[in-house]
Every structure is written in C-alpha cells, then in structure tokens.
Amino acid sequence: MAESNSKKRVSIVAPANAPTRSRSMGPKQESIAAFTPDNYSSDEDDKFFHEDAQSSTAADSPSDNAVAAAAPGSGWTNGQLPNQFTPTMTLHPYTRSGRLALYNHHRRWINFQSSWSRIGAGATEMDAVHTKSSSGSSVMTGCLLEEGKTVRALVAQLCECFYKAGWATGTGGGVSIRVGGPKENRPYRVFVAPSGVQKEDMVGDDVFELDMERQIVQPPRTPNLRQSACTPLWYVVYKHVKSAMCVIHTHSMHAQLATLLDPTEKCSVLRVTHLEMLKGVGNHSYDSILEIPIIDNRPSEDLLAEQLEEVIVKYPKCNAVLVRRHGVYVWGDSWEQAKAQCESFDYLFESAVKMKGMGLESGLVPSSGTYRNEEEENSIPPDSSPPAKKQKVAPAFNASGANNNDTDLQCTGTTIPLVPRDAKILLLDIEGTTTSISFVKDVLFPYVLNNLDKYLDDMESQDLIKLQDALVADLDALGDNHPSNVQVNGMKSTLDSAKAFITCYVNALMANDVKATGLKSFQGKMWKAGYASGELVGHLYSDFIPMLKWCQDNAVKVCIYSSGSIAAQKLLFGHTSEGDITSYFGGHFDTTSGNKREAASYGAIAKALGVQPEDVVFVSDLEAEIYAAEEAGMRAVVAARPGNALLSSDTKEKYPVVRSLLQLCGAD
C-alpha cells in the first residue's frame, strides 16, 4: 500500500515495439532517443548533447572541419557545421521540458560568478542608495585558462548586446573587465575589447589580456588586431576607482545629445534629479541631485585621459563621465553593476533630452507632483505653494539659478521666459537684438549715403518720381516741426531736380533716424545691390545661430519684426557670414503691420500668426517697443547688447533683461 502511494519519476520513452516514423533528414535521426529529464545533462558545456550524440561524436575521428573550427574566428556560426551538430543539439531549448530546465536553472549570460544582485552584501532591499553590488561564489574551478576563456566570451557577448542597443555601431564602443586582485590574493587580469572590430560579430578569440601595467599577457588568437583606443581611459578608471572591475564605453545617441542640451557647449556638468532610475546609477536615490561631469571631445580618445582623471577625482560619487559630441564612460564593481548602471544612465540621458523638448529641466527640483513628508506639509501656510527643495550645489546649465526652484518654475515680470515652455513663438527685433547696431549705423547706412548718387543715376525717370512721392509721404507723416522737415524746408529753394530732392529727403530722414516705409523700401533696394556684389555681409551675434537651431529642434517658431522692410530683412539674413539662414524663420513683419511703438501693431501680428498675444515672446533693445508689446499682451524681454542704448532703471526693474538670446533657451 505504501509502495503504491509513493511518487515515482517517470521517463517519457517510446515503447520498444513502437513503430518509428520515417523522416527525411536521414537515418541518424531515427535512432535518437526521446528527450526526457533523465537523459538531460547538467554539465554546462554539454547541456545540449544527448548520450546518443555524444557517443557517436566520440567514435568520429578528427576531421578537417574540426581543425578548421579551432582556427580563430571560425566555427559553425560562420557556416562550418561540425560533425556532432545534429538536431539533438537543438531539441533541448525547443521542448517544454527543455525550456523549463533552461529558464529554471541556466542564466543567459556567460559568467564566472553566480547570483549577482545590484544590492550589495549586508544591505537590505529597501535601501534607497546602493554603493556596491553583490556576486555569488565563483563557478570556475580554479583553472586560469578556463577563467580567461569565460571572460573573453563574456566581453564578446556584452559587445553584441550593446550593438543591439545601438550603443556600439560602426565598430564603436567597447568593454573592459578585470578579475582577480588583492581580494583573491592574486594579480589582476584585465581583458579589453579590440579596436575596429564589428561588435556584433566579436568572439572571445578577439580579446586581449593585459596586466595592470598595460603589458600584453595573452594576445588575441585572431591575428592583426590592436587594443581598443579606449584602453588608456579604462586604466584611468581602474587607477582612481579601486573597486571598479568593469568599464563600459558607448556611443549612445542619448548620451551624445545630453551633452548638447547647453547650446553654448560650455557647461561642465549635466544635472538630473527626481527621477526613479537615479536609484540604478549607484550612490544616489530618487531625490538626490546627480551631477554627471562632461568633458570636451578630442581628435583621439587617448587625449581624453587627463580630463577624465580630473573629473573622476572631482566627482567621486558619479560612476560615469560624458564626452561632448561623443558618448559616455560608465564603470561598476562588477560587470553586472557596470551594465546595469550604464542602462540606468542612458535612461536618464534620454529623459533629460526629452524633458528639455517639453520645456522642462531635468536638474530642477519639481515644485509639486512629488512626495513631501507630513511635517514639511504642515509647516506650509495654507495659502502658499510647497517650497521646492533648495539645491546645495552650484547651478549648471540645465538648472541655472536653481537655488529656489518654485520661483524658477514661475514666470514673474522679470523672470526670463523659456521657450518652448512658456511660448511657442519668438518675435525678434533685428538692430541691437540679432545684429549689432553698429553694423546698421556704421555699415548699412553709410553704404546708402555713399552710393546714393550712383544708384539714382541708374534709375529711370518714372522710378525717380515714384520714389520722390514716397519720401514726401514719409515727411508729411512727421509733421512740419519735425527736424527732418525743418532741414528739408531750409534747402528747398536750392533744389532743381527730382534727383536733388530725393538726395535731400534721404539725408534728412536718415540724419534723424526716421523709420518710415518709403525710406526703408528704398534702402532695401540699395542694400540688395550691395549684398549681390558682395560688398555687404550681414552681421549676426554668435549666439543667434545656436538659438535658431535650438528653436528649430524644439518646434519654436521664430519671426522677425523690424522697422526695416521685409525685403531688407531677407537680404540681411540671406547674406550672412554663416550663409543663407532665412529657412529658420517662420514669418517676417515690418512697418506695414503698424508702428513698432504702438500696441495695436503687436496685436495685429499675433492675429496674423493665429495665436493670442500672450503666446508670443517679443525681444527688442528699444524700451518704447517693449512697452507697446507688453500693452498688447505679449511677454516682453529686453536685449542688452554692447553698444545698445542705456536702459532706464524702471525698465530693468520691470522687465527681464537678456545679454544672450540663448538665455531664452535656458542657458546662463
């Protein structure tokens, strides 16, 4: 009775007299025993082989295929099928019992240690900050040859993984792993990936083994390879981060773009806070402020060593360094930790880039939407918003001036509005904003006066009459007491031709800096000839092109509103030292839309753009224009450029003032 109730392990094997099926793949497959848990081998190297296949393989004599398979870079993955390759090898992962065994007992990564965890030994799973990871016991038997073979294969497997993630395309990127050291009472062994090899096709035979002096202990079996260009940098990490056992270098697109969030490319750090994946980068938790140092790229990677060494010492809590327009270096106390941290950093880089596109800053502590403890909440008056946590570090580009973040996230009268967070349309003046006033006054205006006689001589008589009438209309609109009319009236008795009258009118209007439609139209025509001949080249402030590119990338429409005619605007921006940049603009407006000192003009422009005035940021150096724009409902910003007119104290107290248009994008 007891015997009948006992559980007996049953093998699923076809009866001896059961008929066999005829199969088209040959007689050898007919003799394969059915797969069962009984004939599964727990030996890691032989887990895909069944006894039949192993015995048949043992009987085979060495063949040319076997010799070829031993050559570097050879093997069945390159199309050479060894004799023992039969369907018995593939049955294991494709049967139900095989899959159960695979996913219950066998990890997918090649390894020399087992049971890794991001949480270090002695820590609890509830810890917010982890400084080291935990690895289990070694699966090596003490054989250094077997350990080396395993680590080489692991380097190749990691490189393939990073290629698939888009981090190591075009042979870029690489991995270094070191094993041994004082903890194991033996010298370090450092394994490094080669340079110029397709990372998705790497094999262990391609990997170098070095000592801590960077001397080659064991060259790769594959001939004609050289060490990765990253090797000197990996050793910088090993030198200054004693716990580091793996360094990863990737050309992640997210990492590269994160270094370009500052359009000036002068920031030395990327700041990130209040994102969940901060827990995955080591030494930080959700509400920590992570600073990732950024170093400038160089023509070759070995030249980065000095900069890398400096920032590793300066930022000891960060396990990564960004290289501008290049990628990132990440390390950890095991290869698993380095990989996990690399994935977490990449997540944060992508978040920072996408947040910037939404008008958010990854380095600013949110003023709401995040947990605050009850004591803190009770200390806040009911009619006020919760204060954001103050940052205790110097502000970087992506968190400029963030000492009290609740005010940073609001737009008061003097707070610089940010695009695209606060507005999707940027309306810009030209003189003193995008272009130096001296260019207009010292280059464009003198060009008109110096070439006026010659230009009028080439005009047809009917065109001269039309021009004279347009200039008379400009003067009539000014009133009799205007200085321009006073000057003209004093000379009229000496004028005897249309050319003489036009010359007098142009000089009088320009001498008094009159911005009238007839005059501006004529000036535009003269400047067109100057730009066409190459005598005139439009001036731009150095921050203007980066600002335009930023706005283009972040769906911000940039428009121009200048007293110069639309034709003159397009001429200037079509013939700059940077070439033709007119494609960056979404609209042009001149005095045909109204006087720039009248609020109605700005309302008309907003209507033409199909938006409300409050959805537009207007920037100019002239106070009267700023007042008119604000009266119309636009967000008004004053441009303070060298040579601009002095601003009144009232204007500086009431309106935001920028010295660079990049400040509208978040730059310092």
Side-chain angles (χ1 to χ4, degrees), residues 470-471 473-478 509-510 513-523 563-565 591-592 595:
L471 295 174
D474 289 343
L475 289 165
D476 289 345
L478 298 175
L509 290 167
M510 291 184 66
D513 196 22
V514 174
K515 304 181 187 302
T517 301
L519 174 65
K520 290 298 181 182
S521 176
F522 174 63
Q523 289 173 325
S563 56
S565 67
T591 52
T592 59
N595 192 305

Side-chain angles (χ1 to χ4, degrees), residues 146-405:
E146 186 66 19
E147 180 185 60
K149 177 182 177 182
T150 302
V151 178
R152 287 186 179 89
L154 177 59
V155 169
Q157 190 181 17
L158 285 166
C159 286
E160 180 185 29
C161 170
F162 298 151
Y163 170 83
K164 292 177 179 177
W167 297 352
T169 56
T171 77
V175 179
S176 170
I177 296 176
R178 68 173 176 174
V179 297
K183 290 190 301 183
E184 299 182 26
N185 197 29
R186 60 187 176 105
Y188 283 114
R189 306 175 71 186
V190 181
F191 297 85
V192 301
S195 179
V197 172
Q198 299 285 346
K199 294 302 186 288
E200 75 277 21
D201 196 42
M202 264 187 63
V203 293
D205 288 341
D206 298 336
V207 177
F208 288 81
E209 180 184 347
L210 313 177
D211 60 20
M212 284 302 292
E213 303 300 321
R214 284 185 55 193
Q215 300 298 312
I216 296 177
V217 175
Q218 181 67 43
R221 294 183 64 196
T222 306
N224 303 320
L225 293 180
R226 61 184 177 87
Q227 297 172 36
S228 170
C230 308
T231 303
L233 306 181
W234 289 331
Y235 273 81
V236 168
V237 177
Y238 291 143
K239 174 184 176 182
H240 290 283
V241 186
K242 303 301 182 183
S243 62
M245 299 299 282
C246 177
V247 188
I248 297 168
H249 173 49
T250 82
H251 290 180
S252 158
M253 182 62 71
H254 299 143
Q256 179 188 204
L257 293 177
T259 69
L260 300 176
L261 290 177
D262 172 13
T264 67
E265 300 189 43
K266 294 180 180 179
C267 64
S268 60
V269 66
L270 173 72
R271 179 169 292 124
V272 182
T273 188
H274 283 70
L275 291 175
E276 179 65 16
M277 287 298 279
L278 283 164
K279 296 177 181 178
V281 301
N283 301 312
H284 292 80
S285 60
Y286 165 75
D287 56 354
S288 299
I289 298 174
L290 169 66
E291 289 185 309
I292 307 139
I294 304 174
I295 61 177
D296 289 328
N297 199 20
R298 301 291 295 276
S300 61
E301 298 215 38
D302 58 300
L303 298 177
L304 296 171
E306 186 175 338
Q307 295 180 76
L308 182 65
E309 190 166 21
E310 180 181 341
V311 295
I312 287 176
V313 173
K314 186 176 180 180
Y315 298 92
K317 286 186 65 178
C318 186
N319 295 313
V321 172
L322 284 162
V323 184
R324 203 180 319 273
R325 293 178 174 265
H326 184 154
V328 67
Y329 284 84
V330 182
W331 52 87
D333 66 11
S334 63
W335 71 264
E336 297 101 327
Q337 187 193 52
K339 172 180 172 290
Q341 291 182 168
C342 196
E343 293 163 347
S344 299
F345 274 113
D346 197 71
Y347 179 98
L348 296 176
F349 299 151
E350 182 178 10
S351 297
V353 171
K354 291 186 175 180
M355 287 174 69
K356 194 71 174 181
M358 298 167 62
L360 303 173
E361 298 293 341
S362 64
L364 290 177
V365 178
S367 59
S368 61
T370 190
Y371 173 78
R372 287 174 175 79
N373 62 47
E374 185 176 352
E375 180 179 347
E376 182 182 1
E377 294 286 354
N378 291 336
S379 67
I380 301 169
D383 59 344
S384 65
S385 59
K389 183 178 178 181
K390 291 184 178 180
Q391 300 189 43
K392 300 180 181 179
V393 289
F397 162 73
N398 65 320
S400 58
N403 289 321
N404 191 346
N405 296 298

Side-chain angles (χ1 to χ4, degrees), residues 32-69:
I32 296 174
F35 177 81
T36 74
D38 289 336
N39 59 22
Y40 169 72
S41 171
S42 61
D43 187 325
E44 186 70 16
D45 291 333
D46 297 326
K47 65 183 179 183
F48 294 135
F49 292 84
H50 296 198
E51 291 182 353
D52 290 17
Q54 292 182 42
S55 60
S56 64
T57 300
D60 292 336
S61 59
S63 63
D64 292 339
N65 279 345
V67 175

Side-chain angles (χ1 to χ4, degrees), residues 538-560:
H539 169 267
L540 301 174
Y541 284 114
S542 60
D543 59 288
F544 190 43
I545 295 295
M547 188 278 297
L548 288 175
K549 291 180 178 178
W550 167 266
C551 290
Q552 186 179 68
D553 291 342
N554 290 276
V556 177
K557 180 185 287 189
V558 179
C559 300
I560 299 296

